[in-house]
Amino acid sequence: MAEAGVADAPRRRSVQCASPKGLHRVSYLEWGDPRNRDVVVCVHGLTRNARDFDDLARVLATRWRVVCPDIAGRGDSDRLADPMLYAVPQYLADMVTLIARLDVEAVGWVGTSMGGLIGMALAAQAGTPIQRLVLNDAGPVIGLASLQRIGAYVGVQPAFTSIELAESYVRSLCAPFGPHSDAQWRQITEAWMKKGDAGWRANYDARIADVFRATMPDKDLELWPVYDAVRCPTLVLRGELSDLLSRQTTVEMARRGPKAGVAEIKGVGHAPTLMQPEQIALIRDFLMEGDSP
């Protein structure tokens, strides 16, 4: 039986999506009552997957149906035939298909890093289904230093003979996530790594690196026209030490476009994991505001 205020385990489902190179299956986890018409979609960062949101989803699913997809090329979703399709336009199309499968007219959206960019792009569209938007360490200006840092490790997938060695690697690579308990570091590791014949390895298509490096800009990436087109209530979470989302950018985000609310997470870089109770509370309280008459 679930604890008070915590939902039971999720259901693993999938939806078939289309690309210019054929069909592919996008897997997702669904938490809470499948009949619930109030839906929150949670979308992960560049190399990660749906399990990043387990702690958040358990709490939110006592009020909402929570849907956490593995974006194509990650987790249990199919790898794309053409690696150059690993980009926001394809992800956006896939998420429109997913929301159609859910048979709802409107959703809340929680997006970490890349997931935030996908959400921002969808929220900027006329007739968007997104009613409330949470951008977790994501915004319309992406720092070049962070892109170069990510570019140095994306696609690099060393194999480890034990989960302990894999966890040591994850702790080092993901140090910007900030302080976590031993149990949480093990959870982060097991969510990201998959055991295969060669050992434990990060569970995503290494070819994601191809398009990431091919499109690397020579300065900060600016997407202000997209952000300025967003009209729904928006909350921005920023890691205090983030190299991807600057404090200056969040100040500007609070002033223009949807005039986002901003919360800064102390002692954390890119990106808050949304595992800590105080981070979960920020998101839940923001989404609950949409319930007010």
Side-chain angles (χ1 to χ4, degrees), residues 141-148 219-221 243-246:
V141 180
I142 305 171
L144 177 60
S146 70
L147 291 172
Q148 292 172 333
K219 59 182 180 180
D220 292 352
L221 181 62
D243 62 350
L244 186 143
L245 181 64
S246 72

Side-chain angles (χ1 to χ4, degrees), residues 117 120 139-142 221-228:
L117 298 181
M120 189 171 70
V141 180
I142 305 171
L221 181 62
E222 298 202 16
L223 304 167
W224 283 113
V226 178
Y227 178 77
D228 288 340

Side-chain angles (χ1 to χ4, degrees), residues 11-265:
R11 300 168 295 281
R12 174 68 72 176
R13 304 193 63 194
S14 66
V15 61
Q16 190 162 256
C17 300
S19 82
K21 294 298 180 70
L23 301 177
H24 58 277
R25 183 185 56 87
V26 168
S27 178
Y28 62 96
L29 294 176
E30 184 180 61
W31 298 77
D33 185 349
R35 300 163 297 180
N36 192 345
R37 307 286 295 173
D38 296 331
V39 172
V40 176
V41 178
C42 300
V43 182
H44 58 78
L46 181 66
T47 67
R48 304 197 63 85
N49 62 65
R51 305 259 32 155
D52 276 2
F53 297 103
D54 281 4
D55 289 357
L56 176 68
R58 284 192 186 96
V59 174
L60 296 186
T62 61
R63 166 63 185 82
W64 295 272
R65 176 162 46 130
V66 183
V67 175
C68 307
D70 289 331
I71 295 297
R74 290 84 168 172
D76 287 348
S77 288
D78 288 345
R79 280 39 180 163
L80 295 177
D82 180 357
M84 299 311 289
L85 292 173
Y86 286 129
V88 169
Q90 182 64 56
Y91 305 151
L92 186 62
D94 289 354
M95 293 302 96
V96 170
T97 299
L98 171 62
I99 292 170
R101 155 63 69 85
L102 301 176
D103 192 26
V104 292
E105 301 299 321
V107 300
W109 186 284
V110 179
T112 295
S113 193
M114 179 191 73
L117 298 181
I118 299 168
M120 189 171 70
L122 181 54
Q125 304 299 314
T128 180
I130 296 181
Q131 285 192 325
R132 300 186 78 80
L133 174 65
V134 179
L135 300 175
N136 182 27
D137 221 60
V141 180
I142 305 171
L144 177 60
S146 70
L147 291 172
Q148 292 172 333
R149 174 179 58 78
I150 294 167
Y153 77 78
V154 65
V156 178
Q157 296 176 311
F160 301 95
T161 56
S162 70
I163 190 63
E164 290 78 15
L165 289 172
E167 181 183 325
S168 178
Y169 172 76
V170 168
R171 284 180 182 243
S172 174
L173 183 66
C174 301
F177 290 177
H180 288 77
S181 68
D182 289 345
Q184 286 174 326
W185 279 119
R186 179 57 60 89
Q187 180 180 334
I188 290 168
T189 302
E190 291 179 340
W192 193 46
M193 294 278 182
K194 182 177 182 179
K195 189 175 183 180
D197 293 341
W200 292 88
R201 197 189 297 270
N203 189 14
Y204 69 92
D205 186 350
R207 299 178 306 153
I208 289 167
D210 296 352
V211 66
F212 189 88
R213 296 190 178 113
T215 57
M216 180 71 70
D218 57 6
K219 59 182 180 180
D220 292 352
L221 181 62
E222 298 202 16
L223 304 167
W224 283 113
V226 178
Y227 178 77
D228 288 340
V230 175
R231 293 290 177 265
C232 65
T234 301
L235 171 67
V236 180
L237 303 183
R238 176 181 182 268
E240 177 191 24
L241 308 176
S242 176
D243 62 350
L244 186 143
L245 181 64
S246 72
R247 184 173 291 126
Q248 178 182 353
T249 296
T250 61
V251 169
E252 190 71 2
M253 292 172 76
R255 187 189 68 81
R256 60 193 280 184
K259 298 181 179 178
V262 178
E264 193 164 89
I265 311 300

